[in-house]
Amino acid sequence: MSRSIVPEAISRQPWQMIIPLCGLVGLGAAVLYSAAGGSLQPYALSHVVRFCVFLVMAMVIARMSRNLFRMAAYPIYGAILILLVLVELIGAVGGGSQRWLNLGFMSLQPSELMKPAIVLVLARFYETLPHAMTASWRGLVPAGVLIGVPALFVLIQPDLGTATAVCFGGVVTMFLAGLPLWWFLGAGGAMMVIAPIAFFTLLHDYQRNRVLVFMDPEGDPLGTGYHITQSKIAIGSGGIFGKGFGNGTQSHLQYLPEPHTDFVFATMSEEWGLMGGLFVLFVFTVVIGWGMGVARRAPDRFSSLLAAGMTATMFFYVMINLMMVMGLAPVVGIPLPFMSHGGTSMLTNMICLGTIMAVNRWNQGRGSLG
Amino acid sequence: MKFNFRRLIRAPHVTNGTLRNSFDRRTIVVGGIQGGIGCLLAARMTYLSVFENEKYKLKAESNRVNLSLIPPRRGWILDRHGQPLASNRADFRVDVIPERMSDPERTIAELGKLLSLTPIAMQDLQDKLDRSHGFAPVEVASRLDWERFASVSVRLPDLPGVVTQRGYSRFYPTGPSVGHLIGYVGAASAEEYEKDHDPVLLTPGYKLGKDALEKFYEKDLRGTPGARRVEVTASGRIVRDLDTREDVPGKTIKTTIDAAIQDYAARRIGPESAAVVVMDCQTGDVLAMASMPSFDPNSFSDGIGRLEWKMLSDDDHVPLRNKVLRGLYPPGSTVKPMVALSFMEAGLDPNESVFCGGGLRVGNRVFHCWQRRGHGQVNMAKGIYQSCDVYFYHFAQRIGMDPIAAMAKRLGLGQEFPLPVAGQSYGTVPSPAWKLKKYDKQWQTFDTVNATIGQGYFLVNPLQQAIQASRIASGRIIMPRLIHGHEHEKQASLGVPEEHLAYIRQAMSDVANGPGSAPHARLPFPDIKLAGKTGTAQVVGLNVGNGKGGLWKHRDHGHFICFAPADNPRYACSVVVEHGGGSGAAYPIARDVLTYIFDKEKGMEVLTELETKWGGTAKERLDARFRAYSAQYGVGAPKVSPEEERRKLQGADQPDDPRQPISEAQSPAPEPADEADRPAPAPSPTATPATSPGAGGSPQ
């Protein structure tokens, strides 16, 4: 690399990840352009603009020092928890469920921010936890509370998808923190027992319905199963090379629900075919793989858990969304990172990405040592 | 994994090193799982888009493209001058397809509000929905104005299962006048679809013929549906037309009917329960075939509502029966010209006379002449124009029944004719052989006596009577025709000597123009004369009623057959007025119809005056009646089960057993000897006193 010509701040960026990611965002913009009926408004342009703004933000996050992250972990977690409670209170006062906090200039969804925050706070917790206690109850209970409290608040909003995402990020971090394996196996076993019971008692009707329909989407082709069926039709009818840019009928004739957010992948697949789909998978593989690599290279416990947890959070988005649109998971309102139109999810994912980039920078700083 | 377990059991000493170690291993596990899920997703995607590509392509296409059939425009039914008896008019309509409605109650309530349907209409709609079979469209409303149509159209996305359409609906310009003649159309029932799997039957807005000509010529009138392929959005909004195939309208059916005469005849019947047939007696073309009261075929096309049903079934005038073809009546004295012809053929000299003293003893009973005072010396002509019963009693005994029955059949009585109609009741021409077969009893002299004056077992329908008149008028085997375009076919001669026919025609002319029984039947023209024959048929014995007044159901039927002009016959006409109280109710109708044929203005004048008295035209009276019913009953009319409706409609459809007298009230007691307590047996029309309130004297 011509280190002498390009400034160090730029050359040190992880371009091997950023360039494919830009390609993905570009494809996303193209799909949104088509979904809007061949227009930059209202989706494509704001999508790109947001990405650029948040990319800069991620780079700024990446400049922050490890100590700053360490010190900010608990305050940030606490602040977001308070926001979550606030949302509940306002929602209770306003009547009905509420996920958004209207700040006047923008609406904030605190549950989204909780996803990276939970990883951050857990990384900090396990860093400070004496190693010997990792396998004891003191390694489990506080972490469980840290995950459980926000998850509960999100769950009663109700937002099963985000609650699951919060738990997933937290649990993966705990897993990587070295908690005894049998705890996870035991918890998994318990879940298998509790899940059917919870399914029939705790879930809301519409949530239960979604799961049932997922089991048999054709059983209700015009009701809830409609989403899954139409999404599969969109992906399947695209073939290997797709119907061509702007020619997707499923999205343009509104058979596809939410063609620009949750089902953006189906919209893309219909027009770009299997090739487009494999490209998307490739980019996510690069990004996730890079994130895991950063975590593995991280020298200390805090950074490695932080990077791995953030990667897991992003992975969770990708996995659930793609499984949903392909009919492998029930319909849950989780967008596809970097492709779906929507500010909050982009913000969350870019925070995750920025954090991983920060860890990457710390690695490079240490690089000379190791 | 095993390693971890052991560590747990040993309460392992955890250090930074072991944690780092475990982190490294676990990231590999996590990465592996992630990679595995990535592969799973790639495989799934490949499966969907490569191996199931064909299936999903087809599904996407069937999503995108909506093929809708355009109901073909039904062929018109024209009268002989090309005037439409049944046509189509453009209309806006709204249908629902029950199985596509997500929330039927809400949708129907919403439609009711948007279309401002009355509670009665809502109730009928609900009945139709209850009876529907899911796939078949149910009509909500048709003939909508643009505002109401548009108000539904714009809300279609919120109303799944609702179909709005600009199409054509059947229109019968003269309404009730042609109800029985043309029939009506309606949505296909499940049974009809079972029989005929033409998909057009399921097209919203398609109606098929349910009765009479509409039903008989269904295949010709149907045409070929068009089709439209459109690209639609998920909510059903049409994005663009892909291609359209025009419908091929059904064939036009041109009938022999004269729309003006048909309408006039139907209206002239007025409040009576009656049938009128007008024929061209040279060609057999049926010019009018009216049966009243009737129904309005226009309002039948959207199904028969509860209230409509109640109104029709409450009516003792049986509006659902086509009396021309399915009404059977003892013909009364209208058979006398026919009987006289058979006498002449059997060699009776028409000048041979008999003394009528008001009755004749046959066996141990006296058969009275309607004219109790007697007619004095009566020859054949007087027997006809004065309708002397004794003359016929006397000579019938000499000639015997068989020649009479043979002549009756030659003139068309008891016959079925090849007509495009749903059913004919052909009645009975009694004869010794028939009686033996039917009742296993020997023919008696009094049976002959009864038959010669058109009572006893004799049953005919009004069409046969018109044909009888036509054959007497023309001397040829006139066959009735309803379909235009066979004028060149000349019919063969009856084989009755012309001088016999001339004698009978003169006698029939004298009925109206000479010293006959119906002087008021004379046409109001100096140069056009009408020849006719009256008839009064008893329906109950004199012990029940005298036939003139009292219960409507007990009054005599009135008959009149005629043709005009008498010297050069062109038009033949028959009229039957059920329980009209005698022929006095029948011949004024025939007279006015013929007057109208020769002079439209003069005919209309008479009708206008009468209709003011009756309270409007047939359609206006029907509408008024419906309004009265809806005010009286509202939504309280009982629900009609489909079985009941089918039974009733078919009951009116199917001929009564032609071998049975039409009703229990059928008067002529076939075995008068058994009724010794009855001095004046029913068969002889003894009860036609000169003091009868019937108009125009008391013709018999």
Side-chain angles (χ1 to χ4, degrees), chain A residues 317-347:
Chain A
Y317 270 92
V318 176
M319 174 183 79
I320 294 297
N321 179 275
L322 291 186
M323 283 173 70
M324 172 186 79
V325 297
M326 293 181 200
L328 295 174
V331 175
V332 277
I334 287 187
L336 185 63
F338 311 114
M339 286 193 78
S340 288
H341 182 256
T344 316
S345 93
M346 178 80 92
L347 176 65

PDB file of all heavy atoms in Angstrom, chain A residues 317-347:
ATOM      1  N   TYR A 317     -29.400 -10.293  12.956  1.00  0.00           N
ATOM      2  CA  TYR A 317     -30.259  -9.582  12.004  1.00  0.00           C
ATOM      3  C   TYR A 317     -30.317 -10.310  10.668  1.00  0.00           C
ATOM      4  O   TYR A 317     -31.382 -10.594  10.119  1.00  0.00           O
ATOM      5  CB  TYR A 317     -29.679  -8.188  11.718  1.00  0.00           C
ATOM      6  CG  TYR A 317     -30.127  -7.078  12.615  1.00  0.00           C
ATOM      7  CD1 TYR A 317     -29.416  -6.741  13.755  1.00  0.00           C
ATOM      8  CD2 TYR A 317     -31.237  -6.312  12.272  1.00  0.00           C
ATOM      9  CE1 TYR A 317     -29.794  -5.685  14.557  1.00  0.00           C
ATOM     10  CE2 TYR A 317     -31.620  -5.244  13.064  1.00  0.00           C
ATOM     11  CZ  TYR A 317     -30.908  -4.946  14.216  1.00  0.00           C
ATOM     12  OH  TYR A 317     -31.284  -3.889  14.987  1.00  0.00           O
ATOM     13  N   VAL A 318     -29.126 -10.590  10.157  1.00  0.00           N
ATOM     14  CA  VAL A 318     -29.040 -11.163   8.814  1.00  0.00           C
ATOM     15  C   VAL A 318     -29.732 -12.526   8.788  1.00  0.00           C
ATOM     16  O   VAL A 318     -30.548 -12.819   7.912  1.00  0.00           O
ATOM     17  CB  VAL A 318     -27.570 -11.291   8.380  1.00  0.00           C
ATOM     18  CG1 VAL A 318     -27.479 -11.973   7.014  1.00  0.00           C
ATOM     19  CG2 VAL A 318     -26.927  -9.923   8.355  1.00  0.00           C
ATOM     20  N   MET A 319     -29.388 -13.326   9.791  1.00  0.00           N
ATOM     21  CA  MET A 319     -29.902 -14.690   9.814  1.00  0.00           C
ATOM     22  C   MET A 319     -31.427 -14.713   9.872  1.00  0.00           C
ATOM     23  O   MET A 319     -32.090 -15.359   9.052  1.00  0.00           O
ATOM     24  CB  MET A 319     -29.320 -15.439  11.018  1.00  0.00           C
ATOM     25  CG  MET A 319     -29.902 -16.818  11.208  1.00  0.00           C
ATOM     26  SD  MET A 319     -29.252 -17.630  12.671  1.00  0.00           S
ATOM     27  CE  MET A 319     -30.199 -16.846  13.968  1.00  0.00           C
ATOM     28  N   ILE A 320     -31.960 -13.988  10.854  1.00  0.00           N
ATOM     29  CA  ILE A 320     -33.411 -14.054  11.040  1.00  0.00           C
ATOM     30  C   ILE A 320     -34.145 -13.498   9.820  1.00  0.00           C
ATOM     31  O   ILE A 320     -35.112 -14.076   9.330  1.00  0.00           O
ATOM     32  CB  ILE A 320     -33.830 -13.283  12.313  1.00  0.00           C
ATOM     33  CG1 ILE A 320     -33.273 -13.987  13.544  1.00  0.00           C
ATOM     34  CG2 ILE A 320     -35.340 -13.178  12.404  1.00  0.00           C
ATOM     35  CD1 ILE A 320     -33.816 -15.390  13.761  1.00  0.00           C
ATOM     36  N   ASN A 321     -33.634 -12.372   9.307  1.00  0.00           N
ATOM     37  CA  ASN A 321     -34.338 -11.787   8.164  1.00  0.00           C
ATOM     38  C   ASN A 321     -34.325 -12.714   6.960  1.00  0.00           C
ATOM     39  O   ASN A 321     -35.363 -12.945   6.329  1.00  0.00           O
ATOM     40  CB  ASN A 321     -33.705 -10.438   7.787  1.00  0.00           C
ATOM     41  CG  ASN A 321     -34.400  -9.823   6.589  1.00  0.00           C
ATOM     42  OD1 ASN A 321     -34.086 -10.134   5.450  1.00  0.00           O
ATOM     43  ND2 ASN A 321     -35.385  -8.970   6.858  1.00  0.00           N
ATOM     44  N   LEU A 322     -33.134 -13.261   6.646  1.00  0.00           N
ATOM     45  CA  LEU A 322     -33.060 -14.105   5.449  1.00  0.00           C
ATOM     46  C   LEU A 322     -33.857 -15.395   5.631  1.00  0.00           C
ATOM     47  O   LEU A 322     -34.514 -15.863   4.708  1.00  0.00           O
ATOM     48  CB  LEU A 322     -31.602 -14.424   5.111  1.00  0.00           C
ATOM     49  CG  LEU A 322     -30.793 -13.222   4.623  1.00  0.00           C
ATOM     50  CD1 LEU A 322     -29.409 -13.662   4.163  1.00  0.00           C
ATOM     51  CD2 LEU A 322     -31.515 -12.502   3.489  1.00  0.00           C
ATOM     52  N   MET A 323     -33.804 -15.954   6.827  1.00  0.00           N
ATOM     53  CA  MET A 323     -34.583 -17.169   7.054  1.00  0.00           C
ATOM     54  C   MET A 323     -36.072 -16.874   6.936  1.00  0.00           C
ATOM     55  O   MET A 323     -36.838 -17.680   6.397  1.00  0.00           O
ATOM     56  CB  MET A 323     -34.259 -17.763   8.434  1.00  0.00           C
ATOM     57  CG  MET A 323     -32.926 -18.496   8.422  1.00  0.00           C
ATOM     58  SD  MET A 323     -32.387 -19.059  10.032  1.00  0.00           S
ATOM     59  CE  MET A 323     -33.525 -20.332  10.383  1.00  0.00           C
ATOM     60  N   MET A 324     -36.448 -15.703   7.398  1.00  0.00           N
ATOM     61  CA  MET A 324     -37.859 -15.334   7.315  1.00  0.00           C
ATOM     62  C   MET A 324     -38.320 -15.213   5.849  1.00  0.00           C
ATOM     63  O   MET A 324     -39.321 -15.806   5.453  1.00  0.00           O
ATOM     64  CB  MET A 324     -38.094 -14.022   8.042  1.00  0.00           C
ATOM     65  CG  MET A 324     -39.485 -13.462   7.862  1.00  0.00           C
ATOM     66  SD  MET A 324     -39.636 -11.837   8.599  1.00  0.00           S
ATOM     67  CE  MET A 324     -38.885 -10.794   7.380  1.00  0.00           C
ATOM     68  N   VAL A 325     -37.559 -14.467   5.047  1.00  0.00           N
ATOM     69  CA  VAL A 325     -38.026 -14.252   3.672  1.00  0.00           C
ATOM     70  C   VAL A 325     -37.973 -15.534   2.856  1.00  0.00           C
ATOM     71  O   VAL A 325     -38.672 -15.679   1.863  1.00  0.00           O
ATOM     72  CB  VAL A 325     -37.236 -13.136   2.945  1.00  0.00           C
ATOM     73  CG1 VAL A 325     -37.440 -11.807   3.625  1.00  0.00           C
ATOM     74  CG2 VAL A 325     -35.767 -13.478   2.838  1.00  0.00           C
ATOM     75  N   MET A 326     -37.142 -16.483   3.271  1.00  0.00           N
ATOM     76  CA  MET A 326     -37.083 -17.734   2.508  1.00  0.00           C
ATOM     77  C   MET A 326     -38.016 -18.783   3.093  1.00  0.00           C
ATOM     78  O   MET A 326     -37.998 -19.934   2.661  1.00  0.00           O
ATOM     79  CB  MET A 326     -35.661 -18.286   2.511  1.00  0.00           C
ATOM     80  CG  MET A 326     -34.692 -17.412   1.747  1.00  0.00           C
ATOM     81  SD  MET A 326     -33.066 -18.133   1.763  1.00  0.00           S
ATOM     82  CE  MET A 326     -32.078 -16.706   1.374  1.00  0.00           C
ATOM     83  N   GLY A 327     -38.776 -18.390   4.072  1.00  0.00           N
ATOM     84  CA  GLY A 327     -39.747 -19.333   4.620  1.00  0.00           C
ATOM     85  C   GLY A 327     -39.147 -20.324   5.585  1.00  0.00           C
ATOM     86  O   GLY A 327     -39.672 -21.417   5.762  1.00  0.00           O
ATOM     87  N   LEU A 328     -38.024 -19.967   6.206  1.00  0.00           N
ATOM     88  CA  LEU A 328     -37.408 -20.878   7.178  1.00  0.00           C
ATOM     89  C   LEU A 328     -37.666 -20.440   8.605  1.00  0.00           C
ATOM     90  O   LEU A 328     -37.297 -21.139   9.542  1.00  0.00           O
ATOM     91  CB  LEU A 328     -35.891 -20.972   6.938  1.00  0.00           C
ATOM     92  CG  LEU A 328     -35.459 -21.589   5.601  1.00  0.00           C
ATOM     93  CD1 LEU A 328     -33.960 -21.487   5.425  1.00  0.00           C
ATOM     94  CD2 LEU A 328     -35.904 -23.033   5.520  1.00  0.00           C
ATOM     95  N   ALA A 329     -38.229 -19.268   8.792  1.00  0.00           N
ATOM     96  CA  ALA A 329     -38.505 -18.777  10.141  1.00  0.00           C
ATOM     97  C   ALA A 329     -39.827 -18.027  10.107  1.00  0.00           C
ATOM     98  O   ALA A 329     -40.252 -17.564   9.050  1.00  0.00           O
ATOM     99  CB  ALA A 329     -37.375 -17.848  10.604  1.00  0.00           C
ATOM    100  N   PRO A 330     -40.472 -17.918  11.240  1.00  0.00           N
ATOM    101  CA  PRO A 330     -41.729 -17.161  11.266  1.00  0.00           C
ATOM    102  C   PRO A 330     -41.490 -15.690  10.940  1.00  0.00           C
ATOM    103  O   PRO A 330     -40.368 -15.196  11.015  1.00  0.00           O
ATOM    104  CB  PRO A 330     -42.223 -17.323  12.704  1.00  0.00           C
ATOM    105  CG  PRO A 330     -41.264 -18.177  13.397  1.00  0.00           C
ATOM    106  CD  PRO A 330     -40.092 -18.434  12.544  1.00  0.00           C
ATOM    107  N   VAL A 331     -42.576 -15.020  10.593  1.00  0.00           N
ATOM    108  CA  VAL A 331     -42.455 -13.603  10.264  1.00  0.00           C
ATOM    109  C   VAL A 331     -42.222 -12.808  11.540  1.00  0.00           C
ATOM    110  O   VAL A 331     -43.069 -12.784  12.426  1.00  0.00           O
ATOM    111  CB  VAL A 331     -43.734 -13.107   9.566  1.00  0.00           C
ATOM    112  CG1 VAL A 331     -43.654 -11.610   9.338  1.00  0.00           C
ATOM    113  CG2 VAL A 331     -43.923 -13.827   8.256  1.00  0.00           C
ATOM    114  N   VAL A 332     -41.027 -12.230  11.638  1.00  0.00           N
ATOM    115  CA  VAL A 332     -40.766 -11.300  12.736  1.00  0.00           C
ATOM    116  C   VAL A 332     -40.247 -10.020  12.105  1.00  0.00           C
ATOM    117  O   VAL A 332     -39.553 -10.062  11.096  1.00  0.00           O
ATOM    118  CB  VAL A 332     -39.730 -11.839  13.743  1.00  0.00           C
ATOM    119  CG1 VAL A 332     -40.384 -12.764  14.741  1.00  0.00           C
ATOM    120  CG2 VAL A 332     -38.609 -12.542  13.030  1.00  0.00           C
ATOM    121  N   GLY A 333     -40.613  -8.908  12.673  1.00  0.00           N
ATOM    122  CA  GLY A 333     -40.270  -7.640  12.033  1.00  0.00           C
ATOM    123  C   GLY A 333     -38.817  -7.250  12.216  1.00  0.00           C
ATOM    124  O   GLY A 333     -38.509  -6.319  12.951  1.00  0.00           O
ATOM    125  N   ILE A 334     -37.930  -7.995  11.559  1.00  0.00           N
ATOM    126  CA  ILE A 334     -36.510  -7.640  11.660  1.00  0.00           C
ATOM    127  C   ILE A 334     -35.987  -7.334  10.273  1.00  0.00           C
ATOM    128  O   ILE A 334     -36.103  -8.150   9.361  1.00  0.00           O
ATOM    129  CB  ILE A 334     -35.705  -8.799  12.298  1.00  0.00           C
ATOM    130  CG1 ILE A 334     -36.025  -8.842  13.791  1.00  0.00           C
ATOM    131  CG2 ILE A 334     -34.225  -8.622  12.066  1.00  0.00           C
ATOM    132  CD1 ILE A 334     -35.192  -9.799  14.574  1.00  0.00           C
ATOM    133  N   PRO A 335     -35.444  -6.117  10.090  1.00  0.00           N
ATOM    134  CA  PRO A 335     -34.988  -5.737   8.752  1.00  0.00           C
ATOM    135  C   PRO A 335     -33.618  -6.347   8.415  1.00  0.00           C
ATOM    136  O   PRO A 335     -32.924  -6.858   9.296  1.00  0.00           O
ATOM    137  CB  PRO A 335     -34.908  -4.219   8.825  1.00  0.00           C
ATOM    138  CG  PRO A 335     -34.713  -3.917  10.260  1.00  0.00           C
ATOM    139  CD  PRO A 335     -35.311  -5.038  11.052  1.00  0.00           C
ATOM    140  N   LEU A 336     -33.278  -6.279   7.147  1.00  0.00           N
ATOM    141  CA  LEU A 336     -31.986  -6.787   6.688  1.00  0.00           C
ATOM    142  C   LEU A 336     -30.964  -5.646   6.754  1.00  0.00           C
ATOM    143  O   LEU A 336     -31.173  -4.610   6.123  1.00  0.00           O
ATOM    144  CB  LEU A 336     -32.113  -7.306   5.263  1.00  0.00           C
ATOM    145  CG  LEU A 336     -30.889  -7.977   4.682  1.00  0.00           C
ATOM    146  CD1 LEU A 336     -30.536  -9.240   5.461  1.00  0.00           C
ATOM    147  CD2 LEU A 336     -31.114  -8.331   3.215  1.00  0.00           C
ATOM    148  N   PRO A 337     -29.875  -5.835   7.502  1.00  0.00           N
ATOM    149  CA  PRO A 337     -28.915  -4.740   7.643  1.00  0.00           C
ATOM    150  C   PRO A 337     -28.369  -4.244   6.300  1.00  0.00           C
ATOM    151  O   PRO A 337     -28.148  -5.051   5.403  1.00  0.00           O
ATOM    152  CB  PRO A 337     -27.785  -5.367   8.472  1.00  0.00           C
ATOM    153  CG  PRO A 337     -28.414  -6.512   9.165  1.00  0.00           C
ATOM    154  CD  PRO A 337     -29.499  -6.998   8.284  1.00  0.00           C
ATOM    155  N   PHE A 338     -28.221  -2.970   6.182  1.00  0.00           N
ATOM    156  CA  PHE A 338     -27.616  -2.284   5.027  1.00  0.00           C
ATOM    157  C   PHE A 338     -28.447  -2.327   3.750  1.00  0.00           C
ATOM    158  O   PHE A 338     -28.078  -1.718   2.764  1.00  0.00           O
ATOM    159  CB  PHE A 338     -26.205  -2.819   4.728  1.00  0.00           C
ATOM    160  CG  PHE A 338     -25.344  -2.871   5.957  1.00  0.00           C
ATOM    161  CD1 PHE A 338     -24.913  -4.071   6.485  1.00  0.00           C
ATOM    162  CD2 PHE A 338     -24.988  -1.686   6.608  1.00  0.00           C
ATOM    163  CE1 PHE A 338     -24.140  -4.107   7.629  1.00  0.00           C
ATOM    164  CE2 PHE A 338     -24.206  -1.718   7.756  1.00  0.00           C
ATOM    165  CZ  PHE A 338     -23.783  -2.935   8.267  1.00  0.00           C
ATOM    166  N   MET A 339     -29.532  -3.088   3.765  1.00  0.00           N
ATOM    167  CA  MET A 339     -30.383  -3.102   2.561  1.00  0.00           C
ATOM    168  C   MET A 339     -31.769  -2.553   2.832  1.00  0.00           C
ATOM    169  O   MET A 339     -32.330  -1.832   2.023  1.00  0.00           O
ATOM    170  CB  MET A 339     -30.503  -4.519   2.003  1.00  0.00           C
ATOM    171  CG  MET A 339     -29.243  -4.971   1.308  1.00  0.00           C
ATOM    172  SD  MET A 339     -29.519  -6.460   0.365  1.00  0.00           S
ATOM    173  CE  MET A 339     -30.344  -5.810  -1.071  1.00  0.00           C
ATOM    174  N   SER A 340     -32.333  -2.919   3.951  1.00  0.00           N
ATOM    175  CA  SER A 340     -33.673  -2.432   4.257  1.00  0.00           C
ATOM    176  C   SER A 340     -33.641  -0.931   4.496  1.00  0.00           C
ATOM    177  O   SER A 340     -32.690  -0.389   5.054  1.00  0.00           O
ATOM    178  CB  SER A 340     -34.194  -3.130   5.515  1.00  0.00           C
ATOM    179  OG  SER A 340     -34.495  -4.458   5.234  1.00  0.00           O
ATOM    180  N   HIS A 341     -34.734  -0.311   4.065  1.00  0.00           N
ATOM    181  CA  HIS A 341     -34.859   1.111   4.314  1.00  0.00           C
ATOM    182  C   HIS A 341     -35.312   1.314   5.749  1.00  0.00           C
ATOM    183  O   HIS A 341     -36.221   0.638   6.219  1.00  0.00           O
ATOM    184  CB  HIS A 341     -35.898   1.697   3.359  1.00  0.00           C
ATOM    185  CG  HIS A 341     -36.066   3.161   3.505  1.00  0.00           C
ATOM    186  ND1 HIS A 341     -37.128   3.730   4.136  1.00  0.00           N
ATOM    187  CD2 HIS A 341     -35.269   4.185   3.114  1.00  0.00           C
ATOM    188  CE1 HIS A 341     -36.997   5.044   4.116  1.00  0.00           C
ATOM    189  NE2 HIS A 341     -35.887   5.343   3.493  1.00  0.00           N
ATOM    190  N   GLY A 342     -34.643   2.204   6.450  1.00  0.00           N
ATOM    191  CA  GLY A 342     -35.039   2.449   7.834  1.00  0.00           C
ATOM    192  C   GLY A 342     -33.834   2.932   8.615  1.00  0.00           C
ATOM    193  O   GLY A 342     -32.758   2.315   8.580  1.00  0.00           O
ATOM    194  N   GLY A 343     -34.017   4.048   9.296  1.00  0.00           N
ATOM    195  CA  GLY A 343     -32.890   4.708   9.956  1.00  0.00           C
ATOM    196  C   GLY A 343     -32.392   3.984  11.186  1.00  0.00           C
ATOM    197  O   GLY A 343     -31.184   3.827  11.381  1.00  0.00           O
ATOM    198  N   THR A 344     -33.303   3.509  12.012  1.00  0.00           N
ATOM    199  CA  THR A 344     -32.877   2.966  13.296  1.00  0.00           C
ATOM    200  C   THR A 344     -32.024   1.721  13.135  1.00  0.00           C
ATOM    201  O   THR A 344     -31.003   1.574  13.808  1.00  0.00           O
ATOM    202  CB  THR A 344     -34.107   2.641  14.163  1.00  0.00           C
ATOM    203  OG1 THR A 344     -35.020   3.718  14.065  1.00  0.00           O
ATOM    204  CG2 THR A 344     -33.697   2.455  15.595  1.00  0.00           C
ATOM    205  N   SER A 345     -32.453   0.837  12.231  1.00  0.00           N
ATOM    206  CA  SER A 345     -31.674  -0.384  12.077  1.00  0.00           C
ATOM    207  C   SER A 345     -30.317  -0.076  11.472  1.00  0.00           C
ATOM    208  O   SER A 345     -29.306  -0.672  11.844  1.00  0.00           O
ATOM    209  CB  SER A 345     -32.437  -1.396  11.225  1.00  0.00           C
ATOM    210  OG  SER A 345     -32.087  -1.280   9.878  1.00  0.00           O
ATOM    211  N   MET A 346     -30.288   0.877  10.578  1.00  0.00           N
ATOM    212  CA  MET A 346     -28.997   1.297  10.005  1.00  0.00           C
ATOM    213  C   MET A 346     -28.102   1.857  11.113  1.00  0.00           C
ATOM    214  O   MET A 346     -26.907   1.534  11.198  1.00  0.00           O
ATOM    215  CB  MET A 346     -29.246   2.367   8.930  1.00  0.00           C
ATOM    216  CG  MET A 346     -27.999   2.913   8.302  1.00  0.00           C
ATOM    217  SD  MET A 346     -27.325   1.835   7.039  1.00  0.00           S
ATOM    218  CE  MET A 346     -28.132   2.499   5.595  1.00  0.00           C
ATOM    219  N   LEU A 347     -28.711   2.660  11.972  1.00  0.00           N
ATOM    220  CA  LEU A 347     -27.944   3.249  13.077  1.00  0.00           C
ATOM    221  C   LEU A 347     -27.369   2.152  13.961  1.00  0.00           C
ATOM    222  O   LEU A 347     -26.163   2.128  14.254  1.00  0.00           O
ATOM    223  CB  LEU A 347     -28.864   4.180  13.888  1.00  0.00           C
ATOM    224  CG  LEU A 347     -28.257   4.816  15.131  1.00  0.00           C
ATOM    225  CD1 LEU A 347     -27.122   5.771  14.727  1.00  0.00           C
ATOM    226  CD2 LEU A 347     -29.302   5.560  15.941  1.00  0.00           C
TER     227      LEU A 347
END
